[in-house]
Amino acid sequence: MLTIKPRFETFEEYLEYEDNSENFYELFNGELIEMPPESGFNIQIANRLFLVFALMLGSDRVRGQGLELEVRGEPKNRYPDLTIIREDHIKQLSKRNTIRLNMIPPLLVIEIVSPGEIQRDRDYIAKRMQYQDCGIPEYWIVDPQTQTILVLELVANSYVTVGNFSNDDLVQSPGFRQLNLKVSEILNPN
């Protein structure tokens, strides 16, 4: 049996589509591109961060990779590894876990870099530009290869570097000043 991939003219058409699977898709030039599963190591890092933020804010405000963000450009959506949402989002996301461009942006998006040059460019360049365009106040790039956490803050519509933290540095978050977190606790817990 031949399966025909759907093509979407608008993001709204895509949002109406349901393939009854657990797959995540990026919408690229009207076509669905299935997202591969994350590595086990990246999931461990995301879980550690989830726990830290859930203990600080409550688990309803912390969303894992299943949260979808509508963005401008290609692809038209992203699935951050971790997102800190606002209280208002909880009810808005009860039917579909998608933050649209017309909604207030989440407070923080965290990406964990996967190995490979394409993935590095995607997190450091493409996603950075898209998240900046969405007005997301804070963006972290957690890089297991370099053992660093880059924290960016949106200032006058552009991301500026707060710090590139490593080893036993305390991560300094402009939006979550009460955070007491060392890079080593996330990347190399023992």
Side-chain angles (χ1 to χ4, degrees):
M1 176 182 220
L2 180 63
T3 304
I4 299 173
K5 285 186 173 182
R7 183 155 181 81
F8 304 97
E9 296 298 321
T10 66
F11 196 73
E12 284 70 23
E13 284 180 19
Y14 157 75
L15 289 175
E16 292 174 11
Y17 174 73
E18 179 59 56
D19 73 349
N20 296 317
S21 77
E22 296 293 319
N23 298 331
F24 296 114
Y25 297 98
E26 284 186 343
L27 181 62
F28 192 86
N29 287 327
E31 295 183 16
L32 296 179
I33 308 297
E34 187 175 343
M35 300 297 299
E38 284 289 332
S39 74
F41 187 62
N42 282 18
I43 298 260
Q44 287 175 299
I45 293 169
N47 285 345
R48 290 178 201 129
L49 286 165
F50 186 99
L51 183 59
V52 167
F53 280 100
L55 290 171
M56 186 170 54
L57 304 169
S59 61
D60 289 348
R61 300 264 317 274
V62 186
R63 298 291 166 106
Q65 191 190 27
L67 179 103
E68 178 180 41
L69 287 175
E70 179 184 14
V71 294
R72 289 180 188 83
E74 296 296 338
K76 298 212 173 296
N77 59 329
R78 295 290 187 180
Y79 292 93
D81 292 307
L82 200 73
T83 306
I84 307 303
I85 63 173
R86 298 169 190 268
E87 200 68 42
D88 295 349
H89 288 132
I90 295 169
K91 187 174 181 185
Q92 293 172 320
L93 300 176
S94 63
K95 290 185 182 172
R96 182 171 176 126
N97 204 23
T98 301
I99 295 180
R100 302 288 313 271
L101 286 169
N102 62 357
M103 296 166 70
I104 191 165
L107 295 170
L108 168 64
V109 168
I110 299 174
E111 293 288 0
I112 302 164
V113 181
S114 296
E117 200 59 39
I118 291 172
Q119 289 79 358
R120 293 184 74 68
D121 288 349
R122 185 178 62 212
D123 290 338
Y124 279 95
I125 300 168
K127 289 181 183 180
R128 178 180 176 156
M129 291 171 49
Q130 286 178 313
Y131 297 158
Q132 177 179 281
D133 181 61
C134 288
I136 298 169
E138 193 169 337
Y139 175 36
W140 292 13
I141 302 172
V142 179
D143 194 331
Q145 291 175 302
T146 62
Q147 294 286 292
T148 59
I149 298 177
L150 175 64
V151 176
L152 302 166
E153 180 182 21
L154 193 65
V155 176
N157 299 320
S158 294
Y159 280 133
V160 296
T161 300
V162 172
N164 197 16
F165 306 101
S166 61
N167 302 316
D168 286 332
D169 292 344
L170 282 175
V171 177
Q172 295 176 20
S173 168
F176 302 94
R177 296 193 190 284
Q178 72 273 35
L179 190 66
N180 185 17
L181 177 68
K182 291 181 181 179
V183 173
S184 58
E185 294 172 326
I186 296 305
L187 294 173
N188 300 307
N190 292 335

